[in-house]
Amino acid sequence: MLNPKTYYYVHTGHRIGLDRFRRACTIMRLLKDVDITLLCSDYRIAQIASEFGVKKSVGVDVVRNIPQIANHGDRLIFDSSEANPNMLQDMRAYFSRFVRISDDANDKKEEDEFLISPYLEGEGILNTLVIDEKYFINEEKIIDISFFFGDDDYDKQLEKNLSLLDGVDVDLLLGFYYFFDYEDMLKEKFERHYEFEEYDDVIKKSKILITSSHQAVLENLASGGKPIFVQREDYPEDFLEIFKKLNIPIVQNYQNSQLLTILKARKIHEYYKVEHNNKKLVDFLKVSLNL
């Protein structure tokens, strides 16, 4: 294939949030000089991707539809845990260059692929976390404590577990996928709230961020904040080991007492800095994709 195209597939949607999507947008902005088409498993996200700096985006519904857009010999960055081993092997054979992003500490790199992982190291692997450049610029922290549950709450887990925040004065950052009636209820519960479009400002300007979004944790930490991670019962625990290494406090099972204890100790709690590896990331991707 003389002129292979480059695609980036990301699994995102109203049941899994936008963490992978935000990571994809970060990588595509870093590779701004490369012609990349973003393939989203959610049509709604594909429609608004341009607001995140993505020039080309297409909704593909399910991962099996990727070959309907991409051709044999094209290049693919793949950020999803949907595919089984057989499907991944087919992709490695279908694409001339295949870069996979994994959050699984028990994963392993296969032949004919390159891997980005916060856990693994070795040939053809980049050990890094993906965080946008804009979060490494510290801004004045004018919000004492903010709370961001995430960009998805299809089953209204937040409403069921609002007791987590008992006794805590917080500003609420609304997510992207809240239904209209649910959003109105949350606005009534929280005197100070921010719309989805204010995400960047809230993340960068919060002294303390309480969130169940692992990407928001990393972004707030990079910007000089003190994040607290809430591990959702319905979410995988892929980032717990990383957060422990960064000394990020973790709340399990929506325990209010655990959160209050963490907040009481916040002045003496020491966070570790997250590495700024974006130059390595760009270099790795350009070599891996043969750009």
Side-chain angles (χ1 to χ4, degrees):
M1 193 171 188
L2 294 178
N3 295 303
K5 294 182 178 180
T6 305
Y7 295 91
Y8 191 132
Y9 174 79
V10 62
H11 186 207
T12 187
H14 65 272
R15 286 190 179 274
I16 64 169
L18 298 186
D19 279 4
R20 290 180 185 271
F21 172 73
R22 293 185 191 280
R23 181 162 63 187
C25 293
T26 292
I27 289 175
M28 293 185 72
R29 285 191 293 264
L30 288 170
L31 295 174
K32 57 182 179 295
D33 58 330
V34 180
D35 184 10
I36 304 176
T37 300
L38 182 66
L39 307 178
C40 300
S41 58
D42 186 299
Y43 286 99
R44 187 179 179 191
I45 288 299
Q47 291 174 349
I48 61 101
S50 61
E51 298 174 18
F52 292 80
V54 175
K55 295 178 181 179
K56 297 180 181 179
S57 57
V58 179
V60 295
D61 191 27
V62 293
V63 65
R64 292 185 181 278
N65 288 343
I66 293 175
Q68 295 182 12
I69 305 294
N71 293 313
H72 183 267
D74 283 335
R75 299 174 287 234
L76 181 69
I77 303 171
F78 185 78
D79 191 349
S80 170
S81 60
E82 298 165 277
N84 60 43
N86 289 334
M87 189 182 299
L88 287 173
Q89 184 55 44
D90 289 344
M91 287 186 184
R92 287 189 284 267
Y94 188 81
F95 291 97
S96 60
R97 294 279 177 154
F98 185 73
V99 178
R100 187 164 58 88
I101 302 176
S102 172
D103 302 322
D104 183 358
N106 297 313
D107 205 346
K108 67 174 184 177
K109 178 188 174 297
E110 302 291 346
E111 292 186 13
D112 300 324
E113 74 172 5
F114 297 89
L115 192 65
I116 297 173
S117 164
Y119 292 112
L120 307 178
E121 295 186 67
E123 186 177 352
I125 302 173
L126 179 65
N127 180 282
T128 192
L129 294 162
V130 179
I131 306 170
D132 198 279
E133 291 286 326
K134 59 190 171 188
Y135 298 109
F136 286 97
I137 302 173
N138 288 1
E139 295 191 18
E140 183 183 359
K141 301 294 184 283
I142 58 175
I143 302 172
D144 286 334
I145 306 176
S146 62
F147 177 73
F148 175 58
F149 189 67
D151 284 303
D152 67 300
D153 195 5
Y154 191 79
D155 298 318
K156 300 188 178 181
Q157 292 294 318
L158 175 54
E159 182 179 19
K160 298 171 185 175
N161 295 283
L162 275 174
S163 60
L164 165 70
L165 300 173
D166 285 352
V168 185
D169 185 20
V170 301
D171 294 14
L172 174 69
L173 172 60
L174 291 162
F176 182 71
Y177 281 115
Y178 289 123
F179 297 106
F180 185 73
D181 59 336
Y182 187 32
E183 187 173 285
D184 286 347
M185 182 279 292
L186 291 172
K187 288 180 179 179
E188 291 178 6
K189 292 280 186 181
F190 294 85
E191 181 180 347
R192 299 181 306 278
H193 55 264
Y194 301 89
E195 300 293 340
F196 164 77
E197 291 80 8
E198 299 174 271
Y199 175 91
D200 283 345
D201 277 345
V202 174
I203 298 300
K204 291 188 288 185
K205 295 179 179 179
S206 294
K207 294 178 184 177
I208 296 172
L209 172 70
I210 304 168
T211 181
S212 60
S213 161
H214 61 77
Q215 195 64 29
V217 165
L218 297 171
E219 291 163 354
N220 180 250
L221 180 64
S223 67
K226 296 183 175 182
I228 299 170
F229 182 63
V230 180
Q231 176 61 55
R232 287 174 57 165
E233 295 173 332
D234 56 335
Y235 265 36
E237 299 182 349
D238 290 340
F239 278 80
L240 291 189
E241 185 178 332
I242 287 292
F243 290 165
K244 288 174 183 176
K245 289 181 179 179
L246 293 169
N247 211 26
I248 293 168
I250 299 167
V251 177
Q252 296 275 14
N253 302 319
Y254 304 108
Q255 292 183 42
N256 173 253
S257 60
Q258 192 176 16
L259 176 60
L260 293 178
T261 299
I262 291 169
L263 289 171
K264 285 179 182 178
R266 64 184 181 272
K267 291 184 179 179
I268 60 173
H269 186 84
E270 181 182 356
Y271 287 77
Y272 303 142
K273 288 186 178 181
V274 66
E275 292 184 8
H276 187 182
N277 286 331
N278 285 345
K279 185 180 185 305
K280 289 182 180 179
L281 176 58
V282 170
D283 292 344
F284 177 82
L285 285 167
K286 288 191 173 183
V287 170
S288 303
L289 295 168
N290 195 27
L291 296 173

